[in-house]
Amino acid sequence: MMDEGRPIFLQIAEIVENSIIDGSLAEEEQVPSTNELAAFHRINPATAGKGLAKLVADGVVYKKRGIGMFVTAGARDALRFRRRDLFARQYIDPLVTEARKLGMTVDELKTMLDNWEVPR
């Protein structure tokens, strides 16, 4: 399902990245074509192509002329590293900042996280 608030080509790139991270697309495996992505997501092929072009520019996939796009060796680790860094900036930094405002130590925060149960 597409998110109306974000450019579709970025969502397509993220969908392919997620498939690489979760292992459903292995390194050196062929990525779905522009037309396959466009048909599946009911979008313009140019938009799907733009998403794949972003992945090429990011070094996540590479093009074999006349054959298609393939996952770059090391892409999974690179994506996981990048996502972890993004996760830290988006979630950990504000979490620690708020904890400090509340007078909590890092050890108290760690204990809280260790004991945290996800609500069902």
Side-chain angles (χ1 to χ4, degrees):
M1 176 149 231
M2 293 291 158
D3 174 11
E4 295 292 326
R6 293 182 38 229
I8 295 171
F9 81 95
L10 291 177
Q11 294 178 61
I12 292 297
E14 187 175 281
I15 288 167
V16 174
E17 284 181 351
N18 289 342
S19 294
I20 294 168
I21 290 170
D22 72 18
S24 56
L25 270 176
E27 294 177 358
E28 301 300 333
E29 186 175 338
Q30 189 167 6
V31 174
S33 71
T34 298
N35 290 333
E36 289 171 329
L37 289 168
F40 184 81
H41 295 287
R42 298 179 185 201
I43 59 172
N44 188 308
T47 303
K50 191 173 178 182
L52 290 176
K54 180 187 180 329
L55 295 175
V56 170
D58 291 346
V60 175
V61 301
Y62 65 95
K63 186 175 190 174
K64 283 187 183 178
R65 189 176 179 101
I67 300 175
M69 303 278 195
F70 292 80
V71 178
T72 304
R76 183 173 191 231
D77 289 338
L79 286 170
R80 290 175 75 196
F81 179 80
R82 190 177 80 202
R83 292 266 185 100
R84 285 179 179 185
D85 182 59
L86 181 62
F87 177 83
R89 285 186 276 120
Q90 284 183 325
Y91 300 103
I92 304 297
D93 286 349
L95 177 69
V96 171
T97 299
E98 186 64 21
R100 285 185 178 142
K101 287 179 191 175
L102 298 173
M104 294 175 68
T105 66
V106 172
D107 286 336
E108 288 173 319
L109 184 56
K110 286 179 184 177
T111 300
M112 182 183 276
L113 288 171
D114 287 340
N115 296 322
W116 188 260
E117 290 189 33
V118 178
R120 292 182 188 231

